[in-house]
Amino acid sequence: MVKIIVVTSGKGGVGKTTTSASFAVGLASRGYKTAVIDFDIGLRNLDLIMGCERRVVYDFVNVIRGEATLNQALIRDKHTKELFILPASQTRDKDALTLEGVAAVLDELGKTFDYIVCDSPAGIERGAQLAMYFADSAIVVTNPEVSSVRDSDRMLGLLSSKTKRAEEGKGQISEHLLLTRYSPKRVANGDMLSLADVNEILAIPLLGVIPESQAVLRASNSGVPVIVDSESDAGQAYTDAVARYLGEEVPFRFLQEKSHWLKRLFSFKEKEAV
């Protein structure tokens, strides 16, 4: 049975689309047939991060309005065989999405796909509500700073009350925390909330901690999801997060500041002198 995952947050710019792209690649690379849908109507970015912007002919709204079939709109990823992208429209507004239309698209995808990843727009407007409505699980993306965490807390309230499962009395969807742009050095300096601070406020299971990394920007600019960069800390952290989502026990990395080799060398010599 298909599983629908919404990647959401209250605040913009925290890494939802980066997370949606990397998570979808991670699932597909493990052999799961995966679709990733951009719900940010009018401001689409998923196609850029996936490197398929020049291949967009039809979009999510075209399918909902019956102007194209789902097969016409889906774009097969160039790098991952089991991954397909459904882009958002750049020329329509949020009202172009309807509950019935979204339901029909998800139902059709559910016939052949194992996972559907819904890349939600920021905030609590219509696109975000529709992205979460049919979800089975949510990845709540937040940065370790007060306004981002507070807005994510607001989203948790909506996830517990505004989904189809909640309305039908079937219980809450599963919730997972993904902390992005984490810098142990800045935490130590008091410039950033610690992991413990964020956990205390949101109190949902921790799925992953993505370190602050230039690799994320490089990946976005090159149109290749950062998880593909297996040499980068961020790419490895996303791979770990996917593994945890699938039930594997993976230790958390990148929670401590890396020691520079010169710093370690001088520390060793000081100990020798003593």
Side-chain angles (χ1 to χ4, degrees), residues 187-208:
V187 170
N189 292 338
D191 299 328
M192 181 178 281
L193 294 178
S194 69
L195 179 57
D197 293 332
V198 177
N199 275 331
E200 184 177 351
I201 297 168
L202 298 180
I204 59 174
L206 180 65
L207 183 66

Side-chain angles (χ1 to χ4, degrees), residues 41-42 61 65 91-97:
I41 307 301
V61 174
R65 294 195 169 186
T91 58
R92 310 292 177 91
D93 59 30
K94 303 288 193 280
D95 293 334
L97 294 182

Side-chain angles (χ1 to χ4, degrees), residues 203-214:
I204 59 174
L206 180 65
L207 183 66
V209 177
I210 313 300
E212 200 167 41
S213 173
Q214 289 298 315

Side-chain angles (χ1 to χ4, degrees), residues 71-269:
N71 283 336
Q72 286 176 308
L74 284 171
I75 301 170
R76 189 168 204 153
D77 184 63
K78 292 180 290 187
H79 308 289
T80 314
K81 180 181 177 183
E82 298 296 328
L83 179 58
F84 294 79
I85 302 102
L86 182 57
S89 171
Q90 278 188 310
T91 58
R92 310 292 177 91
D93 59 30
K94 303 288 193 280
D95 293 334
L97 294 182
T98 64
L99 187 66
E100 296 77 13
V102 172
V105 169
L106 294 178
D107 284 346
E108 189 170 349
L109 287 171
K111 295 174 184 177
T112 54
F113 283 81
D114 300 307
Y115 285 97
I116 302 171
V117 179
C118 301
D119 180 24
S120 172
I124 57 175
E125 42 71 38
R126 184 168 182 78
Q129 291 181 8
L130 288 173
M132 74 171 65
Y133 186 74
F134 296 99
D136 301 301
S137 62
I139 299 174
V140 180
V141 182
T142 190
N143 293 158
E145 51 100 9
V146 173
S147 63
S148 179
V149 174
R150 181 187 63 185
D151 289 350
S152 291
D153 196 31
R154 167 68 172 144
M155 293 308 298
L156 291 175
L158 295 177
L159 287 167
S160 67
S161 60
K162 296 294 185 180
T163 64
K164 188 172 186 286
R165 288 173 64 92
E167 288 183 0
E168 294 177 349
K170 295 181 178 178
Q172 288 184 234
I173 67 176
S174 60
E175 298 164 340
H176 310 270
L177 173 64
L178 189 80
L179 190 60
T180 56
R181 297 177 181 166
Y182 191 76
S183 169
K185 182 178 180 179
R186 293 174 65 191
V187 170
N189 292 338
D191 299 328
M192 181 178 281
L193 294 178
S194 69
L195 179 57
D197 293 332
V198 177
N199 275 331
E200 184 177 351
I201 297 168
L202 298 180
I204 59 174
L206 180 65
L207 183 66
V209 177
I210 313 300
E212 200 167 41
S213 173
Q214 289 298 315
V216 174
L217 180 60
R218 288 197 302 270
S220 296
N221 288 336
S222 63
V224 179
V226 70
I227 194 172
V228 176
D229 183 2
S230 59
E231 299 298 315
S232 70
D233 288 356
Q236 293 170 28
Y238 272 116
T239 298
D240 291 350
V242 172
R244 291 188 198 98
Y245 184 85
L246 294 173
E248 299 175 23
E249 291 188 12
V250 180
F252 286 91
R253 298 187 276 176
F254 317 115
L255 302 183
Q256 304 296 327
E257 185 180 356
K258 285 186 176 180
S259 297
H260 192 277
W261 69 272
L262 282 174
K263 184 177 178 181
R264 294 198 303 269
L265 177 61
F266 287 130
S267 176
F268 177 75
K269 286 188 174 181

Side-chain angles (χ1 to χ4, degrees), residues 22-32 34 80-83 227 242:
S22 288
F23 219 81
V25 169
L27 291 169
S29 65
R30 287 169 169 259
Y32 296 104
T34 304
T80 314
K81 180 181 177 183
E82 298 296 328
L83 179 58
I227 194 172
V242 172

